[in-house]
Amino acid sequence: MPDMSMQDDLQPLIEHLIELRTRLVRASAVMLLCFLGLFHWSKDLYHLLAMPLLKTLPQGGQMIATDVTATFFVPLKVTGMAAFLLTLPHTLYQAWAFVAPGLYQNEKRLVLPLIVSSVLLFAIGMAFAYFLVFPVVFGFMAAATPVGVAMMTDIDKYLGFVLGMFLSFGVTFETPVVVMVLVRMGLVSVAKLKEIRPYVIVGAFVIAAIVTPPDVLSQTMLAVPLWLLYEIGVLLSGWLIQPKAQTE
């Protein structure tokens, strides 16, 4: 009898593990298929990613590869990043399909909009960096290049810089979601968020100074949106969200 009871207890765990494996395999398979489909255009994808810098280089300027394998692996990394981003909605759906059966209806109504808004805001943050921040920052760097110095950026280092900036701005644009979740969970009130506004502004510039290149321009272009997005989160929290402690 004890053995049968133990088997009954393990059965749900095994079923969940099998379901998790299935979801992971599906997400990985779709991502792999997307990667293989994009592989032919890997060089074009890197050229698209490097376009903001290439436009600011002087006449005859070009990027360089200081590593023997960089010309192959760097475009490959860009293709992998593109495949990940393109299949992210499917990956999140697989994650949602796995956890949704264990959530209450009110939790589903909260979690699903948060996931969708988080993905959209992260994408908007990346687009903000690519279309607005990169041209300004690279143009400033090109203009600041001393006479007699050729501005030639290594393609691998450029990729690392771009990914870091994408991550910084993507996470920054998640600020309204973070603020609303904190208010919804009752961890902080809207009044308290308004009270600490001066510290948030200072903190925004400190964070920008840490995660961006050491120039005032790029730091400002991160700190100001971070502050404004904080204000948007506070505003939406006051309008739309009732703290959890009051709803129970």
Side-chain angles (χ1 to χ4, degrees):
M1 291 295 293
D3 293 339
M4 292 294 295
S5 177
M6 185 177 297
Q7 290 179 1
D8 293 339
D9 293 338
L10 289 175
Q11 189 65 29
L13 176 61
I14 295 174
E15 291 177 355
H16 280 86
L17 291 175
I18 293 175
E19 175 71 11
L20 177 61
R21 183 191 64 181
T22 301
R23 298 294 177 182
L24 289 174
V25 169
R26 290 177 180 176
S28 301
V30 170
M31 193 181 305
L32 178 61
L33 289 175
C34 183
F35 174 81
L36 295 175
L38 294 173
F39 179 76
H40 178 73
W41 294 278
S42 58
K43 294 181 180 179
D44 297 321
L45 290 173
Y46 186 85
H47 185 265
L48 180 64
L49 185 66
M51 190 62 68
L53 177 61
L54 294 174
K55 287 182 178 179
T56 62
L57 292 177
Q59 187 71 25
Q62 60 184 357
M63 301 179 72
I64 61 173
T66 57
D67 193 346
V68 175
T69 60
T71 54
F72 174 76
F73 282 108
V74 172
L76 204 66
K77 293 176 184 177
V78 175
T79 305
M81 182 186 71
F84 171 78
L85 293 174
L86 289 174
T87 60
L88 186 58
H90 176 265
T91 302
L92 292 176
Y93 167 76
Q94 295 298 327
W96 170 255
F98 177 72
V99 302
L103 298 177
Y104 294 108
Q105 192 62 36
N106 62 328
E107 293 174 331
K108 292 180 181 180
R109 289 197 299 267
L110 176 65
V111 173
L112 188 57
L114 286 178
I115 293 176
V116 174
S117 60
S118 296
V119 174
L120 289 177
L121 287 172
F122 196 92
I124 292 172
M126 292 179 62
F128 181 84
Y130 182 85
F131 290 106
L132 296 178
V133 178
F134 288 174
V136 174
V137 171
F138 296 149
F140 173 80
M141 294 299 181
T145 303
V147 177
V149 177
M151 183 178 175
M152 294 187 294
T153 303
D154 179 69
I155 60 173
D156 196 17
K157 291 183 178 180
Y158 175 79
L159 176 61
F161 172 83
V162 167
L163 291 181
M165 294 290 282
F166 278 159
L167 182 61
S168 299
F169 279 88
V171 172
T172 295
F173 274 66
E174 299 291 332
T175 302
V177 174
V178 174
V179 171
M180 295 175 70
V181 169
L182 291 176
V183 174
R184 175 64 180 83
M185 295 178 66
L187 298 177
V188 65
S189 65
V190 175
K192 186 64 176 179
L193 292 173
K194 293 179 180 179
E195 180 183 336
I196 64 173
R197 179 180 287 119
Y199 303 100
V200 171
I201 296 174
V202 174
F205 279 91
V206 171
I207 293 173
I210 295 173
V211 302
T212 60
D215 65 277
V216 177
L217 192 59
S218 59
Q219 293 170 7
T220 303
M221 295 187 75
L222 178 64
V224 172
L226 179 56
W227 167 44
L228 294 178
L229 289 165
Y230 175 82
E231 297 293 347
I232 292 173
V234 173
L235 189 64
L236 292 177
S237 298
W239 283 353
L240 304 176
I241 294 183
Q242 185 177 3
K244 186 177 181 180
Q246 297 181 12
T247 61
E248 293 178 347

